[in-house]
Amino acid sequence: MKTYGEYCSIAKSLDVVGDRWTLLIVRELILRGACRYTDLRNGLPGIASNLLADRLRDLEAAGLVAKEEAPPPIATTLFRLTSRGEELRPVLEELMRWGMPLMSEEGPADAVRSHWIAGALELGLSDRHPEDAPVSLELQTGHEPIVLKPHDGTIDIELGSAEHPDAILSGPPKAILGLLLGFVDLPEAEATGVTYQGDHGILARVVAQKAPSAAPS
Amino acid sequence: MKTYGEYCSIAKSLDVVGDRWTLLIVRELILRGACRYTDLRNGLPGIASNLLADRLRDLEAAGLVAKEEAPPPIATTLFRLTSRGEELRPVLEELMRWGMPLMSEEGPADAVRSHWIAGALELGLSDRHPEDAPVSLELQTGHEPIVLKPHDGTIDIELGSAEHPDAILSGPPKAILGLLLGFVDLPEAEATGVTYQGDHGILARVVAQKAPSAAPS
DNA sequence: CAGCATCCGCTTTGATACTG
DNA sequence: CAGTATCAAAGCGGATGCTG
């Protein structure tokens, strides 16, 4: 990117991360940790291979990403955020918060990845009954399941299947998100394709309070 | 901008504000309030006229900016942020914070505007002697003076000259910022072109404590 | 003068194919 | 797996011209 040539902190930030795709690459590395080239490619549907290579070079030169030759058993190169790269997390969190209302528009051809959904939930959910015993709730949406484990006031969110989930919620991503973020109730969500099996108390434990300006419909 | 086509809050945000210049236009409107086309152009040195018009149209269509026909005495159109646009403030603040360390690199040809400097100071300074009487400190740097008025624990920051400043600090932007943000002391700053007239207590009252990861040199 | 629209050369991006 | 090579299309930067 051509520099803006302004003595302004915001402009200088954008000189580094303002290129198309750049912040999304950082998002992938923040949400998923160290990634292989192929993993990044999969998490950035539509990116041209040469652009990904270019951006990774730029990010490395700027000191936000480091290449790492993985040890013998794996034998592949990993891309990992440096601490300077990690410091972009608050920026991405605010962008994510700002964009929440836009999640009510699921473009018909939008790609879906479960770790994006998990990231949104991490920002919006908390364990509303800290004193209850830990349970696990499996979400079946996106390209792989997500497990929510509310305990002691926080919710651990992991990708993958739970072995014995206490409840299962499945359906299209937009409906799931609308339900969990508290903008539609269960009957409404069921009308848009959601099914729920399990104790209703578990669902009530994780569903967010209706908050201002974060409204998937 | 072509949409990323991802069902992700960050990607959807960038679909709206990820274009070149877009966030800098929002920055201008946040730092300066409602602006005329010409004011924006002046605050965005280097932008092509057609691009500014394009971006303003896009921002209006996205509901972040509203055009407003100013009343009779002025007779010009003003561009103003909507509330949805204002909500980008936290995003810009985090970007600004992240970019602070980059302010130590003042490119030789970087454009300077005093309201950018003022924005950075607003994020980094506080009144360290709340019980002292209000005073005013004039900064002579950038394209117009800035007045700092510490009082009751906060610092009001305004553009323009003070009528009777209690102290005057002048010099190149980078040196001024380095001094005020606490990364060099007065003797060092003086070696890089800063001059200070006034009670040293006034300066000590506003200078920030050395903080991690925000270091103009 | 304020607020654009048009034109043109250049750079960046996107899509696909190919390679160590 | 981790890229490079190629090329068409889109976007950008700069200059200029138009309209109230």
Side-chain angles (χ1 to χ4, degrees):
Chain A
M1 163 170 290
K2 214 191 145 193
T3 176
Y4 284 108
E6 298 185 354
Y7 188 63
C8 161
S9 174
I10 297 172
K12 286 192 178 292
S13 295
L14 293 176
D15 281 346
V16 179
V17 298
D19 264 319
R20 187 158 165 81
W21 292 110
T22 301
L23 276 177
L24 294 186
I25 294 174
V26 176
R27 172 200 69 189
E28 286 300 304
L29 293 171
I30 282 185
L31 290 179
R32 310 215 300 185
C35 284
R36 295 173 303 170
Y37 189 88
T38 316
D39 299 330
L40 287 171
R41 212 166 162 177
N42 182 267
L44 299 163
I47 196 173
S49 175
N50 56 349
L51 275 190
L52 178 53
D54 282 356
R55 294 293 181 267
L56 285 171
R57 239 190 311 276
D58 295 345
L59 284 169
E60 201 183 346
L64 308 199
V65 161
K67 257 163 99 168
E68 177 182 315
E69 297 300 324
I74 321 187
T76 181
T77 48
L78 287 179
F79 297 88
R80 166 189 309 281
L81 284 179
T82 63
S83 62
R84 178 66 178 150
E86 266 290 334
E87 285 168 17
L88 279 169
R89 184 184 288 269
V91 175
L92 288 182
E93 280 178 3
E94 289 301 336
L95 257 186
M96 199 171 202
R97 223 184 289 281
W98 188 83
M100 280 305 179
L102 305 173
M103 295 297 275
S104 59
E105 316 151 10
E106 182 183 355
D110 277 357
V112 176
R113 295 291 181 278
S114 291
H115 60 278
W116 305 338
I117 311 279
L121 294 176
E122 221 147 333
L123 221 66
L125 299 187
S126 65
D127 178 10
R128 297 180 55 203
H129 297 287
E131 64 289 345
D132 287 5
V135 293
S136 66
L137 165 62
E138 179 169 320
L139 307 183
Q140 294 173 350
T141 192
H143 76 301
E144 71 179 304
I146 302 170
V147 183
L148 306 184
K149 295 182 178 173
H151 69 96
D152 306 312
T154 60
I155 302 192
D156 288 350
I157 300 183
E158 302 164 11
L159 297 180
S161 251
E163 55 295 5
H164 297 296
D166 301 293
I168 297 181
L169 185 65
S170 62
K174 192 175 100 176
I176 298 274
L177 221 50
L179 173 60
L180 290 177
L181 295 180
F183 295 101
V184 300
D185 56 22
L186 185 52
E188 289 176 272
E190 282 171 336
T192 53
V194 166
T195 65
Y196 180 67
Q197 313 165 32
D199 187 314
H200 283 207
I202 296 179
L203 191 56
R205 183 172 178 182
V206 302
V207 164
Q209 301 277 40
K210 194 170 191 105
S213 91
S217 66
Chain B
M1 163 170 288
K2 212 191 148 194
T3 177
Y4 284 108
E6 298 184 356
Y7 189 63
C8 160
S9 174
I10 296 171
K12 285 190 178 293
S13 296
L14 293 175
D15 281 345
V16 179
V17 298
D19 266 320
R20 186 158 165 83
W21 293 109
T22 301
L23 276 176
L24 295 186
I25 294 174
V26 175
R27 171 200 69 189
E28 285 300 303
L29 293 171
I30 281 184
L31 290 180
R32 310 215 301 184
C35 284
R36 296 174 302 169
Y37 189 87
T38 315
D39 300 329
L40 287 171
R41 210 168 161 173
N42 183 267
L44 299 163
I47 195 173
S49 175
N50 56 346
L51 276 190
L52 178 53
D54 282 355
R55 295 292 181 267
L56 286 171
R57 236 191 314 278
D58 295 345
L59 284 169
E60 203 183 344
L64 309 199
V65 161
K67 259 162 97 168
E68 177 182 316
E69 296 301 324
I74 321 184
T76 182
T77 48
L78 289 179
F79 297 88
R80 166 188 309 282
L81 285 180
T82 63
S83 61
R84 177 68 178 149
E86 267 290 336
E87 285 169 16
L88 279 169
R89 184 185 289 269
V91 174
L92 288 181
E93 281 179 3
E94 289 301 336
L95 257 184
M96 197 170 202
R97 222 184 292 280
W98 188 83
M100 281 303 179
L102 305 173
M103 294 298 275
S104 60
E105 315 151 10
E106 183 183 356
D110 276 357
V112 176
R113 293 293 181 276
S114 291
H115 59 279
W116 304 338
I117 311 280
L121 294 176
E122 221 147 333
L123 222 66
L125 300 188
S126 64
D127 178 10
R128 296 180 54 205
H129 298 287
E131 65 290 346
D132 288 4
V135 293
S136 66
L137 165 61
E138 179 169 320
L139 307 183
Q140 294 172 350
T141 193
H143 76 301
E144 71 179 304
I146 302 170
V147 184
L148 306 185
K149 295 181 178 174
H151 70 94
D152 306 312
T154 60
I155 301 191
D156 288 350
I157 300 183
E158 300 163 13
L159 297 180
S161 251
E163 55 295 3
H164 297 296
D166 301 293
I168 296 182
L169 185 65
S170 61
K174 192 173 101 177
I176 299 273
L177 221 51
L179 174 60
L180 291 177
L181 295 180
F183 295 101
V184 300
D185 56 22
L186 185 52
E188 289 177 272
E190 281 170 337
T192 53
V194 165
T195 65
Y196 180 66
Q197 312 165 34
D199 187 312
H200 282 206
I202 296 180
L203 192 54
R205 183 174 179 181
V206 302
V207 164
Q209 301 276 39
K210 192 163 193 115
S213 90
S217 67

